[in-house]
Amino acid sequence: EAEFGISQANFPWLYWATASWNVGAAVFPLLFVPLTENIGRMPGYFASYILFLIWLIPSATAPNFATLIVTRFFGGGASSVSINIVSGTLTDIWKGDRERSIPMSIFGMTVLLESLLGRSWEVLRRRILIGDGFIGYVKSPGLARSCYVYGIQ
């Protein structure tokens, strides 16, 4: 609060940071997720992730409160695009409602499990990411080909 020269005494100004993130997360998928139907899913994943990382830097180094609000809007928007593309990716891989129900349920359950398990889930997630990174490094040509075969273009 003191760093940005705002006071929480009369109005909860810090709510703006959360609200701007959530508004961006609500608006961006409406605009950019439908584009992945035409250009493919992988460019959507990569672009949203790169933009998310780019917007994190000015958010972390914001010299004033207005910059923080604006950068959080764009960061929240970029982060939400890739999470919304997942359902389309699952639809591309598994055809039919019955085949798609289990993978979609697992994806939806991961969000709930993460908040339920807390710290223990964070440790497990790190181990999974390290293992995935190692496997992706060792088998990258096959991984790239399999992504193309399954329609994650």
Side-chain angles (χ1 to χ4, degrees):
E1 296 174 34
E3 181 181 342
F4 293 122
I6 59 172
S7 172
Q8 294 282 93
N10 297 326
F11 185 79
W13 292 103
L14 294 179
Y15 287 168
W16 285 105
T18 303
S20 66
W21 180 278
N22 289 336
V23 169
V27 171
F28 275 48
L30 295 172
L31 302 173
F32 297 109
V33 171
L35 292 175
T36 64
E37 294 291 330
N38 296 328
I39 64 171
R41 307 267 186 240
M42 286 304 276
Y45 280 118
F46 286 127
S48 67
Y49 187 68
I50 290 169
L51 289 172
F52 170 65
L53 291 177
I54 289 171
W55 284 108
L56 280 181
I57 296 167
S59 181
T61 60
N64 56 41
F65 194 63
T67 303
L68 180 69
I69 301 302
V70 170
T71 57
R72 284 188 56 87
F73 172 78
F74 288 107
S79 71
S80 68
V81 169
S82 57
I83 199 81
N84 283 289
I85 295 174
V86 171
S87 60
T89 302
L90 293 176
T91 303
D92 291 343
I93 295 172
W94 285 280
K95 304 296 181 193
D97 294 337
R98 209 172 181 100
E99 295 170 3
R100 190 173 41 244
S101 64
I102 297 293
M104 199 69 90
S105 299
I106 291 170
F107 171 69
M109 188 61 91
T110 57
V111 176
L112 299 173
L113 284 177
E114 183 172 3
S115 60
L116 177 71
L117 297 175
R119 182 89 175 124
S120 61
W121 176 251
E122 185 178 331
V123 172
L124 179 62
R125 184 177 55 182
R126 284 183 188 158
R127 289 179 184 162
I128 291 170
L129 288 174
I130 290 169
D132 286 348
F134 178 73
I135 291 170
Y137 177 75
V138 171
K139 296 187 174 189
S140 59
L143 182 65
R145 199 172 107 234
S146 65
C147 288
Y148 181 77
V149 169
Y150 286 118
I152 311 173
Q153 304 174 19

